Amino acid sequence: MLSILIPIFNYNTYPLVNELHKYCLESKIHFEILCQDDASNEFLDENQKINTLENCNFSGNNLNLGRGTNINLLAEKAKFEWLLIMDCDTFPTQNDFIQNYILKINEAEKVVFGGIEYKKEKPANDQLLRWFYGIARESLSVEKRNTNPNGNALTSNILIKKNVFLSNKFDESITKYGYEDLVFLSDLKKKGIVVKHIDNPTYHLGLETSKQFLKKTKTALENLKKLTATTSLNSSESKILKTYVLLEKMHLTDLISFLFKKNEPNMVGNLLSKKPSLLLFDLYKLGYFCSI
């Protein structure tokens, strides 16, 4: 019935797998949990314990392939007709997590997204940017997500029919962090496959520091620039792209780039502070995108 796929990179995933394993046994379904490490150098001993659990497997890649390719390989290994893709640093918020997805399998939905939440307790001061961003931009209600079903979904907690996934795999040219979800879900939308949203969230636990998040954001925007040249990604699928196209028509991208380079140190100062501004973060992303 269900193959749970978890790509891993430098994270102790055994607690997550152990919890999912318990839920699957309680649900009395046919299942497997496949975990594949993408050439990490941390938590390898901890993750080896996954192999001690029934119907669970942990393996590793010799080379770092990127998240999308790693998931593609896991999907090809999967033996059941439904795939549940989860990030290694997530954790279910409720005990009926698997049961809630099983109900959707019975309803024969093609793609189902359960949602993402963040712990209410404030993290360390150097992780606040990622926490504030996640709460404001990713932790959305079902009603809010349904205003743009494919645009408001993530593949960190998503159920999908195996044949649908194998016909619409992740773009393997995206080997670095950023926008693989956007391309994947945009391609589904173009084929008339609309994501069904339910209230079945996981916590996102693995918060980066604000410095790491800014660095990854730049990498993601560099990916986005490449994708605009190599894919049929529509500018309407991304707020950054949509705004950039408008600025380009008004011949303002050079000015925005100049202002960004002049003010970047001050912007970074705020974004690494105890009270980062998400509006300033949006301007930071737009400025950097214009500058590249």
Side-chain angles (χ1 to χ4, degrees):
M1 173 181 272
L2 182 65
S3 296
I4 302 175
L5 312 182
I6 307 176
I8 298 175
F9 186 73
N10 284 340
Y11 201 84
N12 180 6
T13 311
Y14 178 75
L16 169 62
V17 176
N18 192 41
E19 192 79 356
L20 295 172
H21 182 258
K22 181 177 71 174
Y23 295 160
C24 289
L25 291 177
E26 290 170 352
S27 299
K28 295 181 170 54
I29 60 170
H30 295 293
F31 74 96
E32 63 179 354
I33 303 177
L34 305 180
C35 304
Q36 193 156 275
D37 181 89
D38 201 19
S40 295
N41 51 26
E42 298 180 30
F43 303 108
L44 298 179
D45 290 340
E46 291 90 335
N47 288 327
Q48 281 292 346
K49 292 193 294 184
I50 293 169
N51 287 320
T52 66
L53 299 173
E54 181 185 8
N55 301 327
C56 298
N57 178 262
F58 170 77
S59 60
N61 301 326
N62 293 325
L63 298 173
N64 182 271
L65 304 176
R67 178 176 176 271
T69 301
N70 203 16
I71 295 174
N72 288 348
L73 292 173
L74 284 167
E76 290 167 5
K77 291 180 181 180
K79 64 183 180 182
F80 293 116
E81 63 177 327
W82 283 93
L83 310 177
L84 174 57
I85 302 170
M86 298 182 66
D87 275 355
C88 61
D89 60 353
T90 60
F91 203 87
T93 66
Q94 48 203 29
N95 294 335
D96 54 358
F97 176 75
I98 292 296
Q99 192 60 41
N100 288 337
Y101 274 132
I102 291 171
L103 292 174
K104 292 304 169 184
I105 287 175
N106 293 337
E107 291 180 14
E109 300 286 354
K110 290 182 178 180
V111 188
V112 184
F113 176 57
I116 292 293
E117 288 189 7
Y118 287 78
K119 295 278 189 177
K120 292 182 180 179
E121 301 81 10
K122 272 191 175 184
N125 288 338
D126 66 350
Q127 296 176 318
L128 286 173
L129 177 61
R130 184 66 183 93
W131 184 70
F132 279 123
Y133 178 84
I135 289 174
R137 305 292 171 79
E138 296 174 348
S139 183
L140 307 176
S141 67
V142 172
E143 292 74 22
K144 177 65 175 177
R145 286 187 262 137
N146 273 325
T147 60
N148 183 8
N150 287 46
N152 287 331
L154 298 167
T155 61
S156 54
N157 172 26
I158 198 165
L159 179 76
I160 183 168
K161 261 192 167 179
K162 181 180 177 181
N163 64 344
V164 172
F165 181 87
L166 292 180
S167 299
N168 301 276
K169 293 181 182 180
F170 280 100
D171 185 338
E172 296 191 357
S173 70
I174 305 174
T175 58
K176 296 181 179 180
Y177 170 85
Y179 290 100
E180 69 265 21
D181 278 13
L182 177 67
V183 174
F184 175 76
L185 293 162
S186 174
D187 286 345
L188 291 180
K189 181 181 177 181
K190 289 171 185 173
K191 295 182 180 180
I193 302 170
V194 179
V195 176
K196 169 76 174 180
H197 289 267
I198 65 171
D199 185 21
N200 196 34
T202 55
Y203 287 120
H204 179 203
L205 300 178
L207 297 181
E208 307 99 335
T209 66
S210 299
K211 281 185 179 180
Q212 290 170 332
F213 187 46
L214 282 182
K215 183 178 180 180
K216 289 176 74 172
T217 296
K218 284 187 169 182
T219 299
L221 291 170
E222 290 158 11
N223 263 354
L224 183 60
K225 179 189 176 184
K226 177 183 175 184
L227 290 169
T228 59
T230 59
T231 71
S232 57
L233 188 65
N234 193 303
S235 62
S236 64
E237 302 293 333
S238 162
K239 290 181 181 178
I240 287 284
L241 272 183
K242 189 175 181 180
T243 305
Y244 176 81
V245 169
L246 178 61
L247 291 172
E248 196 173 36
K249 288 180 179 177
M250 299 170 67
H251 305 289
L252 291 174
T253 55
D254 287 345
L255 175 61
I256 299 299
S257 175
F258 170 78
L259 292 173
F260 167 75
K261 291 174 181 177
K262 184 177 180 179
N263 292 287
E264 184 180 11
N266 291 333
M267 297 171 81
V268 170
N270 172 271
L271 297 175
L272 299 184
S273 73
K274 296 180 182 179
K275 294 183 179 180
S277 165
L278 292 184
L279 174 59
L280 194 64
F281 184 50
D282 290 338
L283 294 174
Y284 179 90
K285 290 192 293 182
L286 180 61
Y288 183 70
F289 193 69
C290 288
S291 74
I292 60 173

